[in-house]
Amino acid sequence: MRSVIVVGGGISGLAAAWELRGAADVTVLEGHTKVGGKLRTGTVGGIAVDEGAESLMALRPEAVDLAGAVGLGDALCDPAKAPTTIWTGGALRPLPAGHVMGIPADPADLAGTGLLAPRAVARVAAEEHLHAAPLTQDCSVAAYLGVRFGQEAVDRLVEPLLGGVYAGRADRLSLRAAMPRIAALAERGGPLLPALRRMRAAADAAAPAPAAVRGVAGGTGRLPQAVAEASGARVLTGTTARSLERLPGDRWRVRAMTGDGTLTMEADAVVLALPAFAAAGLLGPHSPLAQEELAAVPYASTAVVTMAFSRALAPFLPEGNGFLVPPVDGRTVKAVSFLSNKWPWLRAAAPDSFVLRASVGRFGEDDLPGRPDRHLIRTVITELHRAVGPLGEPVAARVTRWDRGLPQYEVGHDERVRRIREAASKLPGLALCGAAYEGVGVAACVATGRAAARQVLA
Ligand SMILES: Cc1cc2nc3c(=O)[nH]c(=O)nc-3n(C[C@H](O)[C@H](O)[C@H](O)COP(=O)(O)OP(=O)(O)OC[C@H]3O[C@@H](n4cnc5c(N)ncnc54)[C@H](O)[C@@H]3O)c2cc1C
């Protein structure tokens, strides 16, 4: 049986270990004291809450399928139905149903929402009549959609969604990598609106539309542990890989730091399931090109502020699943999830509490997540008061910081990933996976992890 060391016990590395079950002798090295990386469930006031990812995309199957395969099928659940809501211009305003990353299929649906001024709505509708040659090279989301729909649409419809998913900015993020569905339409040429209308009609005809995302009762953070157990891999937590050595016969040696000292292991293959900057450090001696390209992937830091309010004491409780905030509105908070409204399991687990979480920090706002806990908590309470009304004081609060937590897929990202993968392919027995490559969502990470496993087996 081949031996494989997986470096990184986030969902990408664990998916790789799971894919290798029965086919290889697998050891997972994880620097943190627990597996899971950005999938982590903690507690606030004794209530289990997700501190990182809170949902699994269901429009692509990989994460939901994996959850089912490792015994969490019965725990999968849908969020409460509610429109995506934007806090802009001093009010909460729903995005039209069926939008694609903020772009509505029918601009008429924007009328009356107050999201855009009437002239900006007319500008969106005019897209249908603008010539659109097929897109031949990558460009920023703002560059493409600004020309097609106008700057106000980018600022108030698209930016808040990009902030929520990538903690990124429309003028830096790649259209191809961050909005692949829109990019695919753009590459065909022709206006986007008729194509979006056809997509929407097809989705409506296939009713009932499945939920776009699903959760796990008890917390999405349950998934990594379940995958680790089902993989049968040896999992060494508190073990940080420090160097990688290539041995004769295309074998690999990994040196790691543990709480007790150092650990040296050898294997037939290595999967690096790490953030790009961490993979860059290990790959330097073997592929300066891969190191340089990996080190050039920028990251955004964010913080998640989770708060529990007493239902009995709160003067008021908001409805809906939460809201997103465009940067043009000048707020600190970029997204709020009303977890107790959104996830029925959480409401059932803590019926007397109202739990919400707010995120702060987009790319370029690196100082923000590092501010003291009390400052972040106070800012969130103040802005929530302005957005929805007075919630009073939380009975418990927790700040989780994700330093360099989200890779930024900047213009040219696909090409950069192609160069990284080409350079890594010259190192037999080594595979790369993780959020830095073909998608930041959990489903995409699972896909890269499983693909990396198949690569080292082949
Ligand atoms: C706040 C937040 C909210 C999110 N929400 C969602 C969401 O709702 N839905 C969604 O689909 N996605 C969401 N994402 C994105 C998604 O969670 C991540 O992209 C994904 O979990 C990354 O998984 P990964 O395994 O590639 O990387 P990571 O989770 O970063 O795992 C890498 C692991 O490697 C370990 N490590 C690093 N260096 C070493 C080393 N030298 N040796 C050993 N171990 C090492 C780390 O400790 C870590 O555990 C969110 C991300 C963040 C930050």
Side-chain angles (χ1 to χ4, degrees):
M1 220 184 211
R2 281 170 71 78
S3 53
V4 180
I5 298 173
V6 176
V7 185
I11 196 62
S12 303
L14 295 170
W18 183 79
E19 183 75 16
L20 290 164
R21 72 198 183 287
D25 178 45
V26 183
T27 304
V28 178
L29 307 183
E30 166 53 48
H32 200 266
T33 51
K34 283 187 188 161
V35 292
K38 273 94 193 178
L39 292 186
R40 188 202 296 171
T41 303
T43 56
V44 172
I47 305 163
V49 290
D50 281 313
E51 297 181 68
E54 55 156 318
S55 58
L56 309 175
M57 184 185 270
L59 295 177
R60 51 184 292 178
E62 295 91 339
V64 167
D65 285 357
L66 181 61
V70 300
L72 290 176
D74 289 345
L76 285 168
C77 52
D78 292 345
K81 281 200 170 67
T84 308
T85 301
I86 311 286
W87 182 32
T88 187
L92 294 177
R93 306 173 192 276
L95 266 178
H99 67 90
V100 176
M101 285 301 273
I103 305 294
D106 186 351
D109 293 344
L110 286 168
T113 63
L115 282 162
L116 301 184
R119 183 186 290 188
V121 176
R123 175 70 180 80
V124 173
E127 195 269 345
E128 183 138 16
H129 309 293
L130 297 181
H131 173 71
L135 184 73
T136 53
Q137 63 180 39
D138 197 13
C139 62
S140 74
V141 168
Y144 192 76
L145 296 183
V147 169
R148 301 300 312 164
F149 296 107
Q151 189 58 39
E152 195 171 332
V154 172
D155 289 345
R156 296 194 190 277
L157 306 181
V158 180
E159 285 278 20
L161 281 112
L162 293 175
V165 177
Y166 291 97
R169 293 175 179 277
D171 60 352
R172 314 258 324 211
L173 288 172
S174 147
L175 186 73
R176 277 191 179 146
M179 295 181 71
R181 282 204 288 169
I182 296 284
L185 297 176
E187 279 160 13
R188 268 190 245 154
L192 294 174
L193 281 175
L196 290 174
R197 271 203 303 276
R198 283 194 297 276
M199 274 167 57
R200 182 168 167 194
D204 288 349
V213 296
R214 305 203 76 192
V216 176
T220 306
R222 289 175 65 197
L223 180 62
Q225 190 56 40
V227 177
E229 282 165 19
S231 75
R234 190 180 307 107
V235 178
L236 306 181
T237 53
T239 306
T240 303
R242 290 287 188 219
S243 70
L244 198 58
E245 235 177 284
R246 215 167 148 188
L247 304 174
D250 289 332
R251 283 174 59 79
W252 293 88
R253 179 183 290 145
V254 179
R255 289 183 203 278
M257 294 297 294
T258 70
D260 305 329
T262 55
L263 172 81
T264 304
M265 291 189 71
E266 293 179 13
D268 297 312
V270 172
V271 174
L272 296 186
L274 298 169
F277 49 86
L282 293 176
L283 275 180
H286 312 291
S287 174
L289 179 64
Q291 177 192 32
E292 191 183 322
E293 295 283 4
L294 283 161
V297 177
Y299 274 74
S301 298
T302 62
V304 173
V305 181
T306 310
M307 296 192 274
F309 295 83
S310 156
R311 283 183 185 272
L313 298 178
F316 157 87
L317 290 173
E319 293 181 349
N321 286 354
F323 57 86
L324 299 165
V325 192
V328 280
D329 279 82
R331 311 289 183 183
T332 299
V333 166
K334 70 179 169 103
V336 176
S337 270
F338 298 139
L339 299 176
S340 293
N341 291 348
K342 186 170 177 183
W343 299 113
W345 66 264
L346 195 120
R347 175 135 192 190
D352 300 331
S353 302
F354 183 85
V355 187
L356 61 82
R357 69 180 230 171
S359 331
V360 303
R362 295 183 182 84
F363 184 67
E365 297 176 337
D366 292 346
D367 65 313
L368 204 55
R371 292 188 189 165
D373 285 9
R374 63 176 190 292
H375 174 97
L376 292 177
I377 291 166
R378 188 52 44 205
T379 304
V380 169
I381 291 172
T382 306
E383 293 197 353
L384 273 169
H385 188 145
R386 290 196 182 122
V388 296
L391 302 183
E393 289 297 309
V395 290
R398 175 174 191 142
V399 177
T400 309
R401 292 184 179 76
W402 296 104
D403 183 36
R404 292 195 286 174
L406 280 160
Q408 300 297 294
Y409 288 6
E410 296 205 318
V411 177
H413 180 81
D414 287 358
E415 277 301 301
R416 167 168 285 146
V417 170
R418 193 189 54 69
R419 290 192 296 273
I420 294 170
R421 291 216 177 276
E422 193 180 308
S425 72
K426 300 199 170 82
L427 301 169
L430 182 131
L432 302 171
C433 60
Y437 305 98
E438 286 100 7
V440 300
V442 175
C445 290
V446 168
T448 63
R450 296 186 63 183
R454 289 193 294 272
Q455 187 188 329
V456 294
L457 280 182

